Amino acid sequence: MRAFFDEAGPALKAATVASISAVGGVSHASRLLGIGTAALSKYSSTSGEWANSFIRVDLAAALDRAAGHDFITSTMRGLVDGEKPAGFGQLTALAVLRLDGVLDDVVREVAQAIEDGHADACERQAVRARIVPAMRALAALDALMAGL
């Protein structure tokens, strides 16, 4: 079991951070879920003390639902299916350029959506579709920076 957490832990922690960020941060997520901020901080913490403390499945589902994307539950599903968790990889110039491209996609989609001074429902959905990969990439980078 320990080997599983060594491999899956960083991906689950990064997905938890992404989902918490998507709902507006730890304080807002705490209110949404009815649990303390300390518990949520523990679920997203990469410190040795909390490395094997993960968010409960019911809370993960509720958090993802509130976030509007299945950050945690899709990561769990991938782990169950035997997928190797995706990380940021090594911090290289190429990796940073790929991240830049993902973030540029968000900016271009927003600019296109507001070009006429109004973003309709379809345009907002297109922007959100670009935001999700960017959040995943940023969460993976955050995990790398945190030393996961």
Side-chain angles (χ1 to χ4, degrees):
M1 192 63 151
R2 179 73 186 143
F4 176 79
F5 284 120
D6 287 344
E7 184 176 302
L12 287 171
K13 294 285 186 172
T16 303
V17 169
S19 196
I20 289 171
S21 296
V23 299
V26 173
S27 296
H28 190 65
S30 172
R31 285 190 299 278
L32 283 169
L33 299 175
I35 64 171
T37 57
L40 282 173
S41 295
K42 174 177 64 172
Y43 297 146
S44 58
S45 174
T46 60
S47 75
E49 181 180 7
W50 305 115
N52 290 324
S53 295
F54 299 99
I55 193 166
R56 295 184 341 225
V57 172
D58 60 327
L59 296 175
L63 187 59
D64 278 355
R65 191 176 316 119
H69 182 73
D70 59 343
F71 293 104
I72 305 167
T73 51
S74 66
T75 300
M76 289 179 182
R77 190 171 33 259
L79 295 170
V80 169
D81 291 342
E83 296 174 12
K84 182 155 175 58
F88 191 79
Q90 289 187 314
L91 190 58
T92 63
L94 183 58
V96 173
L97 287 174
R98 280 195 304 266
L99 175 62
D100 183 52
V102 171
L103 296 174
D104 281 348
D105 289 346
V106 174
V107 171
R108 277 191 297 279
E109 198 69 48
V110 170
Q112 184 178 343
I114 64 171
E115 201 169 45
D116 62 358
H118 171 72
D120 63 29
C122 184
E123 290 168 326
R124 288 193 306 271
Q125 191 62 27
V127 169
R128 292 191 74 219
R130 296 292 185 173
I131 289 172
V132 169
M135 289 180 73
R136 280 189 177 150
L138 288 170
L141 175 60
D142 182 56
L144 178 69
M145 293 293 115
L148 285 176

